Amino acid sequence: VCPETQAEIDQFMKSFRKLDLHFKIIGKTGEGTFSSVYKAIDLRYDRYVNDWDLDERTAEYHSPRSKRQRLSHGKEKKAKYVAIKKIYVTSSPQRIHNELELLKDLTGSKNVVSLITAFRHMDQVIAVMPYFRHVDFRDYFRKLDIPEIQLYMRSLFTALKFVHAKGVLHRDIKPTNFLYDCSKGRGVLVDFGLAERESDDGTCCCLGTAEISRRDLKNHSPLLGGYPKNDQRPSKRANRAGTRGFRAPEVLFKCNAQTTKIDIWSAGVILLTFLSKRFPFFNSPDDIDAIIEMATVFGRAKMRICAALHGATFETAIPTITEKGHSLGRIVEWATARGKDNPLHPEEKTALQFLEATLELNHQRRLSADQALRHPFLAQIVP
Ligand code: ADP
Ligand code: MG
């Protein structure tokens, strides 16, 4: 631990009353927008771990027992590591409550992190979860072969199936929120800070429309006569929480009836990253640019239809955005410099079919997590 981090840890331990009776922090494992996460030993899980004995009654430490004595107790001596998520006090109480509540509800899947306990001291809240060993995404995303990608995706979609079956949208699926251990082929979904329960009070024209044809588009396009001057219509608002580059098209088009399918899109973006070996694949700072990025791949025609599905309009004069766009297969070939001498393997083609079904602009036609697990790309994978 570097001196700055140690100072931060000491400060945290000092400010949080009695935390040192429960945990010994041994390092920092992550820092997000809304939290710092520390790796710690749970002192109560195995009172010998720290070589000090904690008297539960008086909450005092006693001198270490001899090793022989400890072994004769026959207890498991494995350290129990936990991740302590210190949620920044600038987060609203509702937000913190929401995260803890959802975590509590989502116990029961080996691919979703569980909540051990939570503490509050003054305005500071911490969540304690099992520590999950993982590798930084940037260190492995270029190296995984197709069977390894299948294992990763199987783990991720298993987590999503579980979360979605509970009626919860994660809203922030991305590599830093899916902790993956390459050696075990297992991943755990974390960070329910933006998650929400699926609701049916939202309104959007996509609710009444399954498909929009080109003819519908001609008849309904509100902008056929050009862009309105002094547009008096109230601007559309929708939940757009998430991370740049991973937002589904319906989030960008401000759909007010967003479903669990937004997570499937983001998982598709992760797969696109693996196959194209580019990270981040999409990287626009704002939603309009993100729509343009998307249009560069999918083309104007599909973007117009997708926009209309959510009552929006898509038009652009950018010459590099073609009418038909490009297939994801071509994108992957370009990104990985494929040619006649190193064409895509058949297993990569199955991966591409799966990719297309997850990066489907129309969320109603996009795979669900359950369907994804039954797709040929994932169905045969045994973790
Ligand atoms: P934030 O809401 O700030 O993004 P996260 O819950 O995503 O917080 O945690 C931030 C980082 O901390 C993660 O990307 C990961 O590196 C690390 N982390 C979170 N939970 C765990 C855990 N249970 N085990 C190990 N590391 C974790
Ligand atoms: Mg996070």
Side-chain angles (χ1 to χ4, degrees):
V1 181
C2 70
E4 293 84 44
T5 308
Q6 191 55 53
E8 180 190 319
I9 291 172
D10 292 345
Q11 174 60 31
F12 172 45
M13 288 308 259
K14 224 169 70 197
S15 70
F16 206 111
R17 200 165 55 99
K18 289 192 180 165
L19 193 62
D20 55 350
L21 298 183
H22 298 263
F23 306 106
K24 177 176 165 56
I25 296 187
I26 53 175
K28 189 167 181 175
T29 161
E31 189 160 50
T33 331
F34 306 102
S35 73
S36 291
V37 181
Y38 302 97
K39 181 176 181 178
I41 295 169
D42 185 344
L43 298 172
R44 300 199 169 207
Y45 178 83
D46 184 339
R47 51 172 64 196
Y48 308 109
V49 165
N50 204 20
D51 269 350
W52 287 83
D53 224 352
L54 180 69
D55 185 330
E56 309 251 358
R57 208 165 33 84
T58 59
E60 279 171 355
Y61 289 114
H62 293 293
S63 53
R65 297 178 183 194
S66 78
K67 199 173 178 189
R68 208 183 42 206
Q69 224 181 335
R70 271 187 271 154
L71 289 173
S72 69
H73 274 249
K75 283 194 188 173
E76 202 194 346
K77 296 298 181 298
K78 220 173 83 195
K80 171 79 177 185
Y81 292 111
V82 293
I84 298 185
K85 179 167 177 172
K86 173 176 169 257
I87 304 171
Y88 293 154
V89 294
T90 44
S91 284
S92 74
Q94 286 88 334
R95 207 194 121 100
I96 298 173
H97 179 259
N98 180 63
E99 177 167 0
L100 296 178
E101 177 108 329
L102 289 175
L103 268 176
K104 199 169 100 234
D105 268 21
L106 289 168
T107 315
S109 162
K110 67 176 182 6
N111 297 108
V112 178
V113 77
S114 55
L115 182 68
I116 298 173
T117 183
F119 295 94
R120 178 183 66 81
H121 175 60
M122 315 279 272
D123 55 356
Q124 180 63 69
V125 174
I126 61 169
V128 182
M129 300 159 286
Y131 176 83
F132 193 75
R133 198 170 63 119
H134 60 285
V135 185
D136 192 320
F137 186 73
R138 286 172 197 270
D139 294 340
Y140 66 82
F141 79 92
R142 280 197 193 85
K143 296 180 197 152
L144 297 197
D145 58 18
I146 295 282
E148 288 167 324
I149 297 173
Q150 284 170 308
L151 273 181
Y152 181 103
M153 286 293 152
R154 172 112 210 145
S155 242
L156 177 56
F157 278 96
T158 305
L160 288 179
K161 181 180 167 182
F162 180 82
V163 172
H164 293 172
K166 299 244 177 193
V168 171
L169 292 67
H170 183 279
R171 286 208 82 94
D172 202 15
I173 298 298
K174 59 176 173 178
T176 48
N177 288 339
F178 186 64
L179 311 181
Y180 193 68
D181 183 344
C182 299
S183 65
K184 288 203 190 110
R186 184 167 84 99
V188 173
L189 184 59
V190 299
D191 196 356
F192 288 79
L194 297 178
E196 56 178 5
R197 289 183 201 281
E198 208 170 16
S199 97
D200 44 19
D201 342 320
T203 52
C204 177
C205 39
C206 69
L207 287 172
T209 334
E211 281 316 316
I212 289 195
S213 70
R214 278 169 199 230
R215 188 174 325 123
D216 294 335
L217 213 54
K218 284 217 175 73
N219 296 339
H220 293 300
S221 179
L223 293 187
L224 275 182
Y227 286 87
K229 291 200 179 87
N230 304 320
D231 194 345
Q232 296 292 312
R233 295 171 300 171
S235 63
K236 220 178 157 188
R237 292 173 68 129
N239 188 347
R240 37 177 305 285
T243 298
R244 65 151 97 168
F246 291 91
R247 290 194 183 94
E250 61 270 29
V251 178
L252 300 176
F253 286 125
K254 298 195 168 73
C255 169
N256 268 307
Q258 295 170 26
T259 66
T260 51
K261 296 287 186 72
I262 66 171
D263 294 338
I264 306 293
W265 177 277
S266 313
V269 176
I270 300 181
L271 178 57
L272 178 57
T273 305
F274 282 132
L275 297 177
S276 67
K277 305 195 189 297
R278 306 281 170 127
F279 180 69
F281 190 90
F282 294 114
N283 193 27
S284 288
D286 67 60
D287 286 0
I288 301 296
D289 279 357
I291 291 173
I292 294 299
E293 260 183 343
M294 220 176 255
T296 312
V297 175
F298 295 92
R300 294 175 195 221
K302 284 189 190 151
M303 291 302 283
R304 263 188 232 115
I305 289 174
C306 180
L309 188 62
H310 305 290
T313 308
F314 174 82
E315 276 312 329
T316 176
I318 299 173
T320 46
I321 300 180
T322 60
E323 187 65 15
K324 285 202 166 143
H326 310 281
S327 74
L328 291 167
R330 286 298 288 150
I331 300 281
V332 168
E333 281 175 349
W334 283 327
T336 54
R338 300 306 179 92
K340 284 202 185 70
D341 24 302
N342 58 345
L344 295 174
H345 298 287
E347 51 178 13
E348 286 178 289
K349 292 197 174 141
T350 318
L352 281 168
Q353 279 166 9
F354 181 71
L355 180 67
E356 267 158 25
T358 53
L359 291 183
E360 162 61 58
L361 289 170
N362 182 342
H363 65 283
Q364 292 152 322
R365 281 196 272 140
R366 197 177 302 149
L367 291 184
S368 66
D370 186 41
Q371 288 166 332
L373 291 169
R374 285 185 274 122
H375 188 282
F377 185 60
L378 297 185
Q380 311 298 329
I381 310 306
V382 188

